[in-house]
Amino acid sequence: SFIVTFDSNWWSEVERQILIDRNTALEPEDPTRKYYYFTGWYLSWSDTPFDFSQEITWSITLYAHWERITHKAVFNKNWATRIWWNPYTWNNNKTVLICEVDNDDNTCVIQAPVIERNGFNIRWWNESRVATKESGWMIEVGEEIVLSEDVDYYAITDMED
């Protein structure tokens, strides 16, 4: 007989399996960990998830792998080129900010970047490419944004009254 032990890194208990009448383990329910996604069970030396149809010929320990829950805001700069503070990632004409969820509301906070180009100041960010007063919600540069999902924003310069 062989024993399959599941190590979830202390986040939730998963019962071990003793294999007597079979040579494969049953995949247990996914463990849970606050602010993380469970990505699978792995052997310590493997970088691919364990295949539960695989024949087991010795006692093993499977380790839970986790990925932090994050939200991403993509700021499409259009023609703007200069950011006044250091973003996490540059991507051509976009600035991508990623924040890690750290509360039970599944949200995190970022700050709308401040950008200028050739004397023109980006004054707002909007979820629509075409900003009008009717298009809704505008975010001022430097303003804190609470993210509950991934979102795209577009740069808006001065608008006529």
Side-chain angles (χ1 to χ4, degrees):
S1 68
F2 303 109
I3 298 173
V4 179
T5 305
F6 298 92
D7 184 344
S8 67
N9 301 309
W10 299 98
W11 289 104
S12 58
E13 191 170 325
V14 180
E15 192 171 321
R16 71 184 183 152
Q17 297 178 19
I18 301 173
L19 306 181
I20 297 174
D21 295 333
R22 64 183 193 280
N23 58 0
T24 59
L26 300 175
E27 187 169 359
E29 286 188 29
D30 292 349
T32 58
R33 180 178 178 185
K34 205 172 197 175
Y35 316 132
Y36 287 81
Y37 294 115
F38 172 71
T39 61
W41 293 105
Y42 292 73
L43 292 167
S44 62
W45 62 84
S46 176
D47 60 355
T48 58
F50 182 75
D51 177 3
F52 280 89
S53 66
Q54 176 180 333
E55 183 176 348
I56 296 173
T57 57
W58 65 88
S59 293
I60 60 172
T61 298
L62 297 175
Y63 298 90
H65 280 215
W66 304 97
E67 183 178 312
R68 185 70 186 243
I69 298 173
T70 60
H71 297 306
K72 175 176 64 174
V74 178
F75 292 89
N76 296 283
K77 298 180 285 186
N78 303 331
W79 47 262
T81 59
R82 184 173 166 201
I83 297 273
W84 283 39
W85 57 286
N86 188 21
Y88 292 96
T89 306
W90 285 90
N91 180 5
N92 296 333
N93 213 16
K94 299 177 182 179
T95 299
V96 179
L97 302 181
I98 298 173
C99 60
E100 295 182 340
V101 169
D102 61 359
N103 60 58
D104 292 337
D105 294 332
N106 197 31
T107 61
C108 54
V109 177
I110 61 168
Q111 186 177 23
V114 177
I115 297 176
E116 82 169 19
R117 179 183 182 264
N118 297 335
F120 291 96
N121 292 322
I122 301 264
R123 295 193 47 199
W124 302 279
W125 295 99
N126 192 306
E127 291 184 46
S128 171
R129 289 177 189 264
V130 180
T132 64
K133 290 184 179 179
E134 293 78 31
S135 69
W137 189 53
M138 302 283 257
I139 301 167
E140 290 188 39
V141 296
E143 184 177 334
E144 285 191 346
I145 304 169
V146 177
L147 297 179
S148 60
E149 61 185 356
D150 293 352
V151 66
D152 287 313
Y153 294 104
Y154 299 91
I156 307 298
T157 58
D158 293 331
M159 291 175 46
E160 294 181 15
D161 290 330

